[in-house]
Amino acid sequence: AIGAGGHLLVQNLDRAEGSFETLRLRIAARSGLIRMSQYVQVPREEVERAWHDGWKLTEEFSDIEGGAELSLSYATELLHRGEAERASQMAAQGVSDAQTAGSETLIKRFRFAVLMAHNAAGRLQEGLRLANAAGDGWLNRPVDTSNFVTRGLYAELLTWQGHLEQALETLQASAAWSEREGREPISHLSALVDWDWFRRPIEQALERAELAMQRTLVFGGPFYKTFAQRALGLARVLCGQHAQAAAELEQNLPLVQAGAFGHSMQSPYLSVLAEAYAGMGRKEDAMTVALQAMEAAQRSGARIFELRAWSVYMRLPGIARAAEGRARMRELIDFTGAYAFRVFER
């Protein structure tokens, strides 16, 4: 019903009188329809039509700000499809156009999307630079409504870079604020379990992951469930509950299949499943799934997720691609600056 509402809004604005303000609303409505597709089923052809028609309008009427919003919205859709590298490029173009239009407000609105796309693509410093294009106050002031989500993404960046103590402090502050204020805490709790993976203080990992799963009952949606299910699987792996982790992850594989709302998380989800298989002694299954995770990340251009998959593969016994793995991990670490993954090089 929500998706149909977005389509109806586009149709109604297209029939309205063609003032400049109406034309801007036509572009904005198409941007909104594109963003909506992350949460409700919107046919891909309709999303593509909104993108192409919107872009024609921005060019015809030289609406740079409208074009920036369109690009930033389409970046979120590309990430949703699992195209991290393309998403980061589209987001960078959107920020550049927003700067040209003098719209700091637009950059602030899409800071989350810019960071998320660049984090996944492994363009960590570039993402941070673009996120700060409208100022860095979101990093320095106390956690509040406007920055609790982006601070969580910043903490993920810090984790991958190896600044683990600063990452933990930032994550705990964001998670505590979101829990206290009744906001969505799932992404923060999931990121804390990823932090546990690097440092192995497993005492709280399962508690955090189970809380994230409980919160999906409140905040709902398959996208958040994907984060929580993967975090729960990882926590079970860290606690030695490999068989239960594997069973639950297998049962919920549809969450990350092509076309699903959680498809962008397919590679890290499969990496955790491979770890569960390894802990059960299912070496061949672990190797197969780790390679699937690697291939999914490579298709996406998601360098951090590829590093994650290699980190699992390189710890398996009797692997055939050890030399390739060492070289590729060094290349990815050098490109991304994700120095925390050095502990997994063999």
Side-chain angles (χ1 to χ4, degrees), residues 100-138:
T100 300
S103 179
E104 289 192 354
T105 300
L106 197 59
I107 296 172
K108 291 175 182 177
R109 272 181 58 201
F110 285 90
R111 187 174 276 141
F112 171 79
V114 171
L115 278 171
M116 196 164 185
H118 282 78
N119 277 7
R123 298 183 177 276
L124 305 183
Q125 287 303 122
E126 176 69 2
L128 187 58
R129 183 186 69 79
L130 292 170
N132 286 335
D136 61 0
W138 66 282

Side-chain angles (χ1 to χ4, degrees), residues 289-307:
V289 175
L291 290 172
Q292 289 172 352
M294 206 180 301
E295 290 162 3
Q298 289 169 348
R299 286 194 302 271
S300 173
R303 296 174 182 86
I304 295 295
F305 295 163
E306 186 183 349
L307 261 174

Side-chain angles (χ1 to χ4, degrees), residues 177-197:
W177 185 91
S178 60
E179 186 70 17
R180 185 173 63 251
E181 299 295 326
R183 298 303 184 96
E184 180 276 306
I186 298 166
S187 54
H188 299 93
L189 293 167
S190 300
L192 279 165
V193 178
D194 278 319
W195 187 93
D196 292 331
W197 185 70

Side-chain angles (χ1 to χ4, degrees), residues 4-236:
H7 179 70
L8 185 61
L9 177 61
V10 169
Q11 286 184 326
N12 287 338
L13 284 168
D14 284 348
R15 286 194 293 265
E17 183 182 353
S19 66
F20 183 71
E21 187 56 37
T22 300
L23 293 169
R24 296 197 71 176
L25 287 172
R26 288 176 184 171
I27 298 168
R30 286 169 167 83
S31 296
L33 181 65
I34 291 168
R35 295 195 300 275
M36 198 180 297
S37 67
Q38 300 168 76
Y39 306 105
V40 298
Q41 291 291 349
V42 179
R44 180 173 289 199
E45 59 270 21
E46 191 169 332
V47 174
E48 290 300 309
R49 185 165 55 250
W51 160 247
H52 289 293
D53 291 352
W55 195 251
K56 286 179 185 176
L57 286 169
T58 65
E59 291 184 326
E60 184 176 353
F61 298 99
S62 301
D63 185 359
I64 298 174
E65 185 174 358
E69 181 175 358
L70 196 68
S71 294
L72 289 163
S73 299
Y74 195 58
T76 66
E77 167 63 10
L78 290 172
L79 191 60
H80 164 229
R81 294 179 189 176
E83 299 182 43
E85 178 63 19
R86 282 189 66 202
S88 69
Q89 294 172 1
M90 187 65 65
Q93 182 62 53
V95 171
S96 177
D97 288 344
Q99 288 179 300
T100 300
S103 179
E104 289 192 354
T105 300
L106 197 59
I107 296 172
K108 291 175 182 177
R109 272 181 58 201
F110 285 90
R111 187 174 276 141
F112 171 79
V114 171
L115 278 171
M116 196 164 185
H118 282 78
N119 277 7
R123 298 183 177 276
L124 305 183
Q125 287 303 122
E126 176 69 2
L128 187 58
R129 183 186 69 79
L130 292 170
N132 286 335
D136 61 0
W138 66 282
L139 281 176
N140 301 317
R141 67 174 177 269
V143 177
D144 59 23
T145 305
S146 67
N147 69 354
F148 79 101
V149 176
T150 49
R151 286 281 276 275
L153 286 175
Y154 176 60
E156 286 186 0
L157 178 153
L158 291 171
T159 299
W160 296 328
Q161 289 180 329
H163 305 306
L164 296 177
E165 297 309 316
Q166 186 181 356
L168 179 61
E169 181 182 344
T170 304
L171 274 172
Q172 288 177 329
S174 297
W177 185 91
S178 60
E179 186 70 17
R180 185 173 63 251
E181 299 295 326
R183 298 303 184 96
E184 180 276 306
I186 298 166
S187 54
H188 299 93
L189 293 167
S190 300
L192 279 165
V193 178
D194 278 319
W195 187 93
D196 292 331
W197 185 70
F198 284 102
R199 290 296 286 267
R200 307 281 161 158
I202 63 174
E203 295 81 9
Q204 292 182 293
L206 196 55
E207 179 184 341
R208 288 165 174 164
E210 288 175 340
L211 180 59
M213 283 299 293
Q214 290 172 17
R215 290 299 183 266
T216 63
L217 300 176
V218 178
F219 295 95
F223 182 72
Y224 286 123
K225 186 178 179 183
T226 305
F227 272 87
Q229 189 63 64
R230 177 187 167 275
L232 182 58
L234 181 56
R236 293 202 189 285

